[in-house]
Structures are given as C-alpha cells and as structure tokens.
Amino acid sequence: MLASMTSVATGAPTVGIVGAGQLARMTYQASISLGVRVRLLAASAADSAAVVASDVAVGPPTGPAVDRFAEGCDVLTFDHELVDADQLACLEASGSAVRPSADVVALAQDKRRQRAQLGTLGFPIPPHAPVRDASDLVAFGAEHGWPIVAKARRGGYDGRGVWVLDGPEAATALVEHTAASGIELLVEAHVPIEQELAVLVARRPGGQAVVYPVVETVQQDGICRELLAPAPVAPELAAAARELGLGIAEAIGVVGVLAVELFRVGDRLVVNELAARPHNSGHSTIEGCATSQFENHLRAVLDWPLGATTPAAPAVATVNVLGSADGGDPVANLPAALEIEGAHVHLYGKAARPGRKLGHVTALGQDLDETRARARRAAALLVGRGAAVGIPT
Ligand SMILES: Nc1ncnc2c1ncn2[C@@H]1O[C@H](COP(=O)(O)OP(=O)(O)OP(=O)(O)O)[C@@H](O)[C@H]1O
Ligand SMILES: [Mg+2]
C-alpha cells in the first residue's frame, strides 16, 4: 500500500493522523522538513494541529469517518487513544497500514490489559487487581495496606481517572460514583514513588529501534509539569530503564514511538503506563536530541531509518505551560518570555483555559539547575507570573 498511495505532486507518502492535538501539530512540524505529507482527522477545525495543517478532514475518531480517512493515507497513525481498536483491526485485515497496530492500540487504551500483559511478560509492575465492586477494593486494601490507588480502566489523562483511597469509606464512595458513570476500574498498590521517569523508544516494523535518554517527569496533581534530561539518576538505573523500554517495545511489537512511564523506588523500577505515540515526556527531544520523537515517529511508521537520539547538550529542561487561573492567553506574553536567553517556546494554538496544557518551553545548558531555572522563568512569564519567580514585569 505504501508505494501505491504516494502524492502525485511530490511522490511523498501520506501519513494520516487520527486526532489533531498538539502531538499531531508537532508531528506535522517534523513532516515539513522531511517533505512527508500529513493528513489529519480532526474532531474540530479549531484543534491545535488542524489550525496549521493544510490537509484536514473533520470528523470523529471512530466510525465511517475513519474508514474514509484511511482510504486516502499510506499509513494510519494516532494522536490519542480515543479510537476503536476493533475498527482498526478491520482496516488492517483489509490491507491498511495501521501503525502502531490495532493490538498495540488496544493495549495502550486499557490499563487493566497493560497490567495483565506486562505481568505475564515478566516486566516489573505494582500489585494490581480488577474491580467489580467496592468489596474488591476493600479486600485489596486489607491485603496490600491502605492507601490504595484506583484507576479508570480507560480514558484517563492528566491524573483524571486516578484516585488515591485511604480506606473502605472512600472506596465505597468512589465505586458509587464510577458505577453511575459507567467507569470500569482497576486497583493497584500505592507505590512509594521517589522519582517518576519516562523512557521513549522508536521502533520500525522490522524491529530496528532507538531509545532516548531517560527523562525525569516532575508531576504535580497528576499532571506532568517538567522534564529533566538526562534524568538525574545513577547511570546503572538509567541503563536499566533504557533496557526496560527497549524490552517492552520489542515484546509488544510496537511500531512508532512508545513512551514507558516508570516509577523509581530506591534502585528499583516499576512500570506505570504505556503510550504508543509521541508523548508529553518526549517534548524535550525537539531541541534536546539529534532527532525529535516526532520525526522518529514519522520515520518509524514509514519504515524508514531512524535518527540518532544523542543529547544535544549536557542538560535539557522542559517546563509545561498550563493556562493561568485568569484564563489569559500566553501569546500576549510571548515577547517577555523570549527575552530569556535560549528559551525555546512552543505554543499549541489552543484556547486558553485555566490548567489546560497550552505549550512548553525547553532550555539547553551545561547545568541542570541553571537550565531548569531558565525554562521556568520563561514559562512563568508566559502565564503572567514573572513576578512570582523574581522577574521584573
Ligand atoms: N500505583 C500508584 N502509586 C502511587 N502513585 C501513583 C500510582 N499510579 C499513579 N500514580 C500517580 O498518579 C499519576 C497519574 O497516573 P497515570 O499515569 O496512571 O494517570 P493518567 O491520568 O493516565 O496520566 P497521563 O496524563 O500520563 O495519561 C502518576 O504520574 C503518579 O504520580
Ligand atoms: Mg501517566
């Protein structure tokens, strides 16, 4: 299929991305320098990538719109998991190149399935169990100790769909709430996390893979706020994390980028969750590595040689820009942020709302603390909080 659907104008293949959020926007940016055509299926014409791309279909990420969209693409890939894995399996059966595969998408969509499959494969995961009713949570808490962590099986993001429960009463209240909304749950032991890490791998259909430097993901209230690369961890632990990432990518047969979120507990690593697409924890690769996660995702899904992941500087820090409480648009503060030396500002073109991920800033340097401080200053200026970090406004 790949050879038959190339663009008449340029001979370049067309990569179809289902979803048009900021990940698709940054993938689109990478496609421009490669000369690859990217076509988007956007839920709304106002989506982050839809407002910049030249070839956009508007429609839902499931149903007939996806079948029609796939017809015009050499390879189908994804910006999010809100797709129908059964439909993707049908598209595969009828000869479409779906990358990552329907099976991998089904795994990435379903935290319960991830726990079961990774456990069977022998990867380190926390104790976990499915939940049918509150008694399952209470029994799990009695066995593993409180607090416990209940999670929505599907659809969670930015910590929405993760609940730390301190006892049977909280467990009962949660099940009443989730059952009423049709949310299926799983439960895990509460891990005494010392650091959160992520490792990204890009893998081609034949198995060639590259792994990125391990990053620390600094989380606050379930949202990733900062990335520090390379993660300030012992070299042996970083090597183990990279091996773990490559091992999981190979074991599940992913094609494209795989992000593996990890918890560090002492010198032990525990897998949190998987995302089979470019990921928030890889934004620092745009300026921070020889080849960005977005370019390597394109290369991988097209089965082209992957680019080096070599770090571009000894220290790389990325700070996410979340919408400020007053709903102000960071674009208004761009000139102030750009005063910060070496601040690479990325704004996603999304309507500003409090707490919404609107962009990120990456800085490169020699020293992690100094580099992080610079990225923080620029991010703070973007949301009008320059004064809070000591910057004259
Ligand atoms: N078993 C656990 N023990 C302790 N903390 C946990 C556990 N599972 C999750 N957390 C905390 O909750 C955060 C969000 O969890 P998780 O990554 O599963 O949710 P999510 O909403 O799917 O996140 P994302 O935005 O990455 O998709 C984690 O980054 C971690 O800080
Ligand atoms: Mg997560």
Side-chain angles (χ1 to χ4, degrees):
M1 186 173 180
L2 220 59
S4 64
M5 302 278 314
T6 48
S7 142
V8 176
T10 65
T14 298
V15 176
I17 304 180
V18 178
Q22 63 260 27
L23 301 172
R25 179 175 169 119
M26 289 182 268
T27 307
Y28 180 70
Q29 194 164 16
S31 76
I32 295 170
S33 40
L34 287 175
V36 167
R37 290 166 56 94
V38 162
R39 179 169 294 171
L40 301 174
L41 180 57
S44 150
D47 286 350
S48 174
V51 295
V52 293
S54 61
D55 189 354
V56 182
V58 177
T62 56
V66 175
D67 293 331
R68 275 196 305 276
F69 179 72
E71 277 171 26
C73 304
D74 296 303
V75 54
L76 205 60
T77 192
F78 311 97
D79 164 85
H80 57 63
E81 286 90 31
L82 305 173
V83 289
D84 175 353
D86 291 337
Q87 179 180 24
L88 299 179
C90 290
L91 282 167
E92 277 172 350
S94 62
S96 291
V98 179
R99 295 175 177 166
S101 68
D103 266 358
V104 169
V105 170
L107 181 69
Q109 286 178 328
D110 183 343
K111 286 184 172 165
R112 205 188 275 179
R113 192 160 160 171
Q114 287 182 35
R115 289 284 177 242
Q117 194 165 331
L118 292 175
T120 305
L121 290 166
F123 293 108
I125 52 169
H128 61 98
V131 176
R132 281 152 306 173
D133 54 40
S135 70
D136 291 324
L137 289 172
V138 174
F140 191 88
E143 187 183 345
H144 296 277
W146 301 89
I148 57 174
V149 180
K151 292 185 171 182
R153 182 174 181 179
R154 303 166 189 276
Y157 69 99
D158 287 349
R160 290 172 221 213
V162 175
W163 299 273
V164 178
L165 305 173
D166 56 11
E169 221 166 87
T172 308
L174 176 70
V175 169
E176 270 169 26
H177 162 73
T178 51
S181 330
I183 298 170
E184 283 184 83
L185 296 175
L186 69 154
V187 60
E188 318 182 332
H190 186 266
V191 177
I193 303 170
E194 289 170 47
Q195 229 175 356
E196 298 202 37
L197 306 172
V199 61
L200 266 73
V201 173
R203 185 175 178 278
R204 289 172 71 178
Q208 189 210 346
V210 292
V211 57
Y212 282 89
V214 178
V215 296
E216 176 172 354
T217 63
V218 181
Q219 313 273 337
Q220 204 180 316
D221 304 326
I223 300 182
C224 176
R225 304 299 298 259
E226 297 182 347
L227 307 175
L228 307 175
V233 295
E236 306 77 47
L237 193 102
R242 283 158 62 100
E243 280 309 307
L244 191 53
L246 283 167
I248 293 173
E250 179 67 29
I252 67 171
V254 72
V255 173
V257 166
L258 175 76
V260 180
E261 295 183 5
L262 299 166
F263 299 148
R264 180 179 73 76
V265 185
D267 57 6
R268 222 162 42 84
L269 294 169
V270 178
V271 178
N272 178 28
E273 60 167 346
L274 307 179
R277 51 168 168 75
H279 191 249
N280 189 239
S281 62
H283 290 354
S284 53
T285 63
I286 297 175
E287 291 87 10
C289 290
T291 316
S292 78
Q293 64 160 346
F294 302 103
E295 178 169 338
N296 265 338
H297 186 71
L298 287 170
R299 293 185 185 208
V301 301
L302 287 163
D303 199 12
W304 288 350
L306 301 174
T309 57
T310 323
V316 182
T318 295
V319 175
N320 280 330
V321 175
L322 303 187
S324 57
D326 65 5
D329 189 337
V331 170
N333 301 315
L334 248 180
L338 295 175
E339 291 279 359
I340 305 295
E341 197 190 322
H344 299 278
V345 176
H346 298 253
L347 292 178
Y348 305 152
K350 291 156 70 172
R353 280 206 298 270
R356 194 177 195 201
K357 272 187 197 149
L358 301 176
H360 71 264
V361 179
T362 296
L364 273 59
Q366 298 298 315
D367 170 80
L368 194 51
D369 287 341
E370 183 279 328
T371 306
R372 180 188 207 176
R374 241 177 323 121
R376 278 186 176 177
R377 277 203 297 279
L381 284 164
L382 282 168
V383 294
R385 282 195 299 103
V389 287
I391 298 164
T393 47

